[in-house]
Amino acid sequence: MKNSQNLKSWLKDYNLNHPMVIAGPCSAETEAQMLDAAFQLKDSDTSIFRAGIWKPRTRPGNFEGVGAIGLKWLQTVKQETGLQTTTEVANANHVELALEHDVDVLWIGARTTVNPFMVQELANALAGVDIPVLVKNPVNPDLALWLGAVERLYNSNIRKLGVIHRGFSSYEKSKYRNKPEWQIPIELQNQFPDLPLFVDPSHIGGRRDLILELCQKALDLNYDGMMIETHPTPDQAWSDAEQQVTPDRLKEILKSLVVRDPQIEGVKYINELEKLRTKIDGFDDTLLRVLGERMTTVEDIGRLKKSQNVAVLQNARWHEILKKMVDLGEKENLSAEFVTKIFQAIHQESINHQEQIMNQK
Ligand code: PEP
Ligand code: MN
């Protein structure tokens, strides 16, 4: 796959003067729920109606989707509202059924993108099919795996391609359900500027109050569109209730978003600046998280020292660390003076933490 191919051209078929909007419930639940959502979305900027028919759930015992009957409801939505439709496919059988039911766009879910066997099965089943296929990022932060899935489809002659950024799972707690790790889609954009990029703020945020800010951020980074879970009665949803919005709220969100024309010179500058700032924010976040973890370990050492009645300050160890870090810093183009200052500050903070532990009764 080359970065010069005109992979964005299929977006022009939609003739939009705004980013593309894909909206609809997390899961198809009943025909009435689907039609209710779709009729409310019909007069919004939504072009494509989404609904999950087969739901990949992390643990068994949750609602796993209505199955093929939902495809009939998607057909009805299309007939009655004129909206295009999309659903998630995870194996060759899903592809066959979805195509039989005239689904217009398919997406591959995050739990499928991680598995090259499944992606290859899908690529084979889709060979030569002329509808757009969108690939969600894998659950783990691995750009090569994400691009690998896109390449498997490309090698099956699928040319209407796009990617959906839905965030990455992590063991640490964060305000997001799936951490955005913006630097990954930014790197993807750098490598393949022509690959349509969508944001899925619903699965990144996991909370409906984060959707607007996530969409705005994506637009500031020049994304091509968004997929937003929208349900007539979100709190009663059978899956992902906390992150879904009502169609009215979706319309408000779309109205509040600021869309800038990427052709304008000043906007290019804002875009570029936003990308670089996002990278910096990611680094700062990592720096502080790692420092926090380091301090937790320092405290463990403090407790160990206390149990053996050993002094907090151990000069030989400290000088050894400092020397190692100054050498490493040199390789990273960081001056000895700067590295020394940073490590003196870290060391002082560590001593403070350990002394607190020593002095605890
Ligand atoms: C979904 O879109 O409802 C879904 C299951 O998403 P993901 O594959 O991103 O978890
Ligand atoms: Mn969902």
Side-chain angles (χ1 to χ4, degrees):
M1 195 166 78
K2 302 217 178 58
N3 66 12
S4 55
Q5 254 98 16
N6 201 7
L7 296 167
K8 263 188 199 173
S9 57
W10 66 269
L11 288 179
K12 298 198 184 85
D13 297 346
Y14 288 83
N15 214 0
L16 302 171
N17 59 359
H18 55 78
M20 179 179 280
V21 179
I22 303 171
C26 176
S27 302
E29 297 166 4
T30 64
E31 187 169 34
Q33 167 244 13
M34 297 265 276
L35 285 168
D36 189 359
F39 271 106
Q40 293 192 60
L41 290 170
K42 187 174 144 61
D43 67 347
S44 72
D45 281 343
T46 305
S47 308
I48 305 176
F49 183 82
R50 68 151 276 157
I53 303 294
W54 301 283
K55 299 303 298 176
R57 306 316 301 268
T58 303
R59 302 186 65 177
N62 296 310
F63 173 59
E64 296 198 323
V66 292
I69 177 88
L71 294 170
K72 295 224 160 53
W73 305 340
L74 275 178
Q75 261 179 327
T76 312
V77 161
K78 183 150 120 173
Q79 279 155 14
E80 304 261 322
T81 65
L83 288 167
Q84 287 207 352
T85 57
T86 183
T87 198
E88 172 176 351
V89 287
N91 60 40
N93 181 242
H94 293 168
V95 170
E96 194 184 323
L97 286 166
L99 295 177
E100 263 171 32
H101 288 82
D102 308 315
V103 176
D104 299 285
V105 174
L106 300 175
W107 90 79
I108 298 179
R111 291 165 197 75
T112 305
T113 309
V114 287
N115 184 338
F117 288 126
M118 292 314 297
V119 174
Q120 192 57 53
E121 176 180 322
L122 288 167
N124 296 343
L126 285 161
V129 167
D130 193 37
I131 64 172
V133 182
L134 308 177
V135 183
K136 289 219 188 183
N137 67 254
V139 283
N140 55 325
D142 185 341
L143 178 57
L145 196 56
W146 194 3
L147 285 173
V150 177
E151 278 162 350
R152 284 177 197 278
L153 296 168
Y154 187 85
N155 292 343
S156 265
N157 275 325
I158 296 156
R159 290 295 180 270
K160 296 181 176 173
L161 287 165
V163 291
I164 305 175
H165 171 216
R166 54 78 80 194
F168 303 88
S169 49
S170 72
Y171 188 63
E172 302 116 49
K173 285 207 170 59
S174 99
K175 82 169 178 175
Y176 303 104
R177 177 177 175 194
N178 292 292
K179 281 203 202 159
E181 308 283 12
W182 295 99
Q183 71 282 10
I184 294 176
I186 288 173
E187 181 53 33
L188 181 142
Q189 263 181 330
N190 286 339
Q191 287 186 34
F192 294 96
D194 206 33
L195 188 58
L197 173 60
F198 293 78
V199 68
D200 170 350
S202 314
H203 290 90
I204 293 177
R207 284 168 32 188
R208 58 181 76 110
D209 63 318
L210 293 176
I211 300 218
L212 175 59
E213 65 181 67
L214 286 164
C215 285
Q216 187 60 58
K217 171 105 186 160
L219 291 183
D220 293 342
L221 291 169
N222 214 5
Y223 280 43
D224 300 281
M226 47 218 149
M227 177 190 261
I228 304 178
E229 287 190 338
T230 311
H231 191 289
T233 49
D235 288 328
Q236 267 95 56
W238 298 1
S239 58
D240 290 350
E242 309 80 49
Q243 70 195 34
Q244 303 205 58
V245 292
T246 60
D248 281 342
R249 178 63 194 146
L250 178 84
K251 289 173 203 170
E252 275 171 26
I253 290 171
L254 297 179
K255 217 181 282 164
S256 334
L257 289 171
V258 182
V259 186
R260 301 182 183 94
D261 179 355
Q263 300 313 322
I264 298 169
E265 222 25 68
V267 172
K268 274 190 197 150
Y269 162 79
I270 293 174
N271 263 193
E272 219 34 60
L273 191 63
E274 187 58 27
K275 277 190 197 175
L276 295 171
R277 282 187 170 157
T278 301
K279 273 191 174 170
I280 296 282
D281 290 349
F283 293 134
D284 289 347
D285 200 75
T286 307
L287 274 175
L288 275 193
R289 218 158 357 98
V290 172
L291 280 176
E293 278 176 32
R294 187 188 193 281
M295 219 43 82
T296 309
T297 310
V298 160
E299 288 167 5
D300 289 342
I301 294 181
R303 277 183 280 274
L304 201 61
K305 283 180 182 168
K306 186 178 184 180
S307 74
Q308 299 299 311
N309 223 357
V310 177
V312 162
L313 189 64
Q314 279 161 340
N315 252 313
R317 164 84 178 141
W318 157 237
H319 283 107
E320 190 192 315
I321 293 180
L322 190 58
K323 169 148 191 352
K324 217 164 64 183
M325 289 302 109
V326 167
D327 289 349
L328 193 63
E330 206 175 311
K331 293 198 185 94
E332 297 290 335
N333 209 8
L334 302 169
S335 73
E337 187 197 356
F338 172 66
V339 174
T340 306
K341 263 194 213 155
I342 288 183
F343 275 87
Q344 274 166 344
I346 292 175
H347 187 229
Q348 190 54 54
E349 182 74 7
S350 305
I351 290 177
N352 296 349
H353 279 240
Q354 288 195 347
E355 275 181 348
Q356 236 176 22
I357 286 171
M358 291 301 203
N359 295 333
Q360 266 163 15
K361 286 274 151 16

